[in-house]
Amino acid sequence: AGGVVDGVGQTLFVDFTRASEISAWKSVNDNVMGGRSTGTLSADTEDGENCGVFAGVLSTQNNGGFSSVRGPGSTGFDLSAFAGLAIRMKGDGRQYKIAIKTDNNFDSPSYQADFMSEAGQGWVTKEIKWSSFQASWRGRIVDAPRLSGKGITSLGLMISFLTDSGAKYKDFRTGAFRLAIKFIKPF
C-alpha cells in the first residue's frame, strides 16, 4: 500500500479497506469517565467499496460527550518531510478530529485537529497540516512543542463536544454518527 516506514518496518498508511488494519484499532469512549457514548471502528462497504466505518451514538449523560478509536502504537514515525496528513472519507456533516500521539503512554497529551465531514458529498480527501494540530489532554490545551511530524507513535479518530482548542463545539449534537474512511496517509 506504499507509505512511510518507521525504524521497525511498520507503514504509516492506514488502509481502512483492509479488515486486518481495522481490527488493530481500539475504542476509547466516554464510559472511561462514566459517560454513555458508544463508538467502534468496523469493516464495512460504502457504495460497494471496502472501507472502515467509525460509528456510534453520542450522549452527554453522566458528563459524557465523546467517542474515539485509536490505532496501534509504534516506535515513532518521522513524517517531518511531509506537510501533514490526508484522510479520504465520506461523512455525515459532523465535526471530527484526528488525534496523534508522540509517545506510547495511554494517558499522555495528544495532538488534535478538527475537520468537518460534509454529508451527501461522496468520497472526499481532507488535508490537515501539522500546524493545525493542538496539544491537549482531556480536552484542555497544554503547553507542548508544536507538532512537526516527528516521533508519531499512533493515530486516532474522535468525535467530541469540544473543539481541538478546548472550546465547546457550538454545533455539537447528541445521537448517531457515522464516518466512512478509506485511508489516512502523509501528504
Side-chain angles (χ1 to χ4, degrees):
V4 176
V5 179
D6 75 1
V8 292
Q10 296 175 325
T11 304
L12 184 66
F13 175 88
V14 186
D15 183 356
F16 291 103
T17 66
R18 296 182 359 208
S20 61
E21 187 88 42
I22 294 165
S23 66
W25 286 59
K26 306 294 180 216
S27 298
V28 181
N29 298 310
D30 60 18
N31 57 7
V32 298
M33 51 184 256
R36 299 281 188 254
S37 298
T38 62
T40 59
L41 180 67
S42 58
D44 207 334
T45 59
E46 187 76 26
D47 300 329
E49 298 181 50
N50 290 342
C51 63
V53 174
F54 175 37
V57 178
L58 285 172
S59 170
T60 53
Q61 288 183 306
N62 293 352
N63 297 314
F66 77 87
S67 176
S68 70
V69 290
R70 295 181 184 176
S74 130
T75 57
F77 293 96
D78 182 356
L79 302 179
S80 59
F82 297 91
L85 294 177
I87 180 170
R88 181 105 174 125
M89 64 177 169
K90 188 172 183 183
D92 58 2
R94 288 180 178 258
Q95 178 175 279
Y96 292 85
K97 299 177 192 184
I98 289 184
I100 290 176
K101 299 281 282 185
T102 55
D103 65 40
N104 286 315
N105 297 324
F106 178 83
D107 207 26
S108 62
S110 66
Y111 292 86
Q112 299 179 358
D114 295 334
F115 64 90
M116 285 300 298
S117 69
E118 292 84 11
Q121 295 297 310
W123 290 103
V124 297
T125 301
K126 294 267 183 162
E127 293 181 343
I128 304 167
K129 293 185 176 188
W130 301 134
S131 60
S132 298
F133 286 84
Q134 302 283 330
S136 68
W137 184 72
R138 295 187 180 177
R140 294 180 201 92
I141 296 298
V142 296
D143 186 27
R146 298 293 297 169
L147 184 65
S148 67
K150 285 186 179 178
I152 295 174
T153 58
S154 69
L155 297 176
L157 295 167
M158 176 182 263
I159 186 166
S160 171
F161 74 97
L162 296 176
T163 66
D164 59 14
S165 66
K168 290 193 176 189
Y169 175 48
K170 66 180 176 74
D171 292 328
F172 176 81
R173 64 186 186 277
T174 58
F177 66 89
R178 186 176 195 281
L179 181 70
I181 313 121
K182 284 192 180 178
F183 65 71
I184 299 174
K185 67 179 183 180
F187 75 93

